[in-house]
Every structure is written in C-alpha cells, then in structure tokens.
Amino acid sequence: MKKNILIFITVLTALGLTAFSVFNFKDANLTTVEITSSEFETAEMTVEKLHVVHHNPFFEEIRDDLRANIFFGIGTPYNGIKKETLNKVRTFDDLIGEEHAQRIVSYKSLSVIILDDNEQTKMKITGNTGDFTAAQLKLLQSSDYSANLLIWADYKEKKQESGLIEESSWTPYITVIPETQAAYKAGNDALMYYLRDNSLEETNLVQNDNLQTGKLYFTVTKDGTISEARIQSTSGYIEVDNKIIELISKTTGAWVPAKNSEGEHVDQELVVTFGNMGC
C-alpha cells in the first residue's frame, strides 16, 4: 500500500514539473520583444507583454480587455542636420537632394523660419529664388545647437508622371544637432525599457481610445545632467506624463554629453515620444 502511494506521489510530481516547464516555455515565447531602430529610435510592446515580463497573472487577467499599445521613442524634435553641414548650405537644392531639385522649374518664394517648439516665430526671412540670401545664410549659420527651423519653399515643378508643370511646395522641419549627439550610456533600447518598466503602475489603466501622442522635451547638459524636462504635448494621461518627467529626471549622470566639431561638450535638447504614435 505504502509502495503504491509512493509511486502515485512520484507520478504527480513528475507531471507537475512537466506542466511547470511547459508554462515557462510559453512565457519565454511571450516575453520576446521586437525593437526596431530608425533615425528616431522606437520601441513597441503591448501592455499584455509587459505584464508577462513582470509575471503577474492577476494583473494580466484584469487588463485583458484593454489591450493598450504603449510606444516609446527617443530622438530629436525634427530631422537632424549637423551644424557643420548647415554652415555649408547655400541653396534649397542642398537640402532636398539632386533628384528632386532637377524637377523644380522656378521658385516663387523661399523662407527661413525660426520655430519655438512647433510654433512659427516672427523671425522669418523670405527670398524669391532657390538660393538663400545673405540674410538667410546669416540666420541659418547663427542658429545654435537644438534650434528648430522651418524651410518653406513654394515653386513650380515638372511632374515625373505627367510631364506637366504644377505649383508645389515643400516644408522641411529641421533641428540643428551637434557633430556628436548626446547618448544614453546603456543605449536607447535600455532607456526605453527603463521608462516602460518603471511606468507600469501609471499605464495599467491606459486605453487606446484616450491615449494620445505625448512628447517630453529635456536637455542633456554638457555636464551630463538633465535639465528643463517639460511636457510639450500630453499623452492624455497626466499621471503618465508626470511619471515620464520623473523618470527622465532621474537619469542624470547616465548620459554621455554631446560634442561640437572641436570636441567640446555642449548642451543638446532631446525628446521622448510616448503613448499612441498613430498611423
């Protein structure tokens, strides 16, 4: 009798270990995260996957119907152009590339506009050719690191498909960047995981219908400290906004400062984008 009981317990134990192994194997598959890199470093993970990482079955169950997608990214506000490169720009062609430039027949106007965040300022100089005027070049070359600019060109171009000449415009937004940009010491992926994993309490009630694209601007100073962290646009959840500010502020000392062409450390403004990235 005792022998039978012992055999029975042994079989149950073996089955339990097998089930445990299968469960962990499935968990291992679910915790796989795909990170994609581009000019603007981005990472995506669903809330369900986040919960698997933290192995909280109860939390997973009560969140199963919400399925919010939380995106995080780090980069510059607009397409970056090195100050050294900007100082060599002389025409609009230098910014748009030869193929596009060859389609332009004539210019109506070409403007250089200084931006304050996303808003155009009164600092605007307009010319009527594709060549930047002396005043425009002075404005471009005097722009400091992290300055945001809008180049607005109105022109006539020959369409490739039809061969017809039509009026068109192009408005590249650019951010002046140092020759060597500021960098998170552990890498951008590590920064995204840090922000994501430490904001779970604030994001656990986030729903896609109410989630917006949040933008947090902050400066990595030449000393590697974080300053001027501010929300430029909300995610739609003030608790999430405040948490991201708090977390970024705590990364002081975890950055390699930016450098100019002389190898000197300089301040650089970066932006963390989080929430709903849209289409």
Side-chain angles (χ1 to χ4, degrees), residues 182 219-227 255-258 265-268:
T219 297
V220 179
T221 71
K222 57 187 176 183
D223 300 318
T225 60
I226 300 300
S227 68
W255 295 82
V256 177
H265 288 151
V266 295
D267 296 350
Q268 183 181 10

Side-chain angles (χ1 to χ4, degrees), residues 175-189:
T175 297
V176 183
I177 61 174
E179 279 60 42
T180 301
Q181 296 195 71
Y184 189 66
K185 291 178 181 178
N188 285 341
D189 291 351

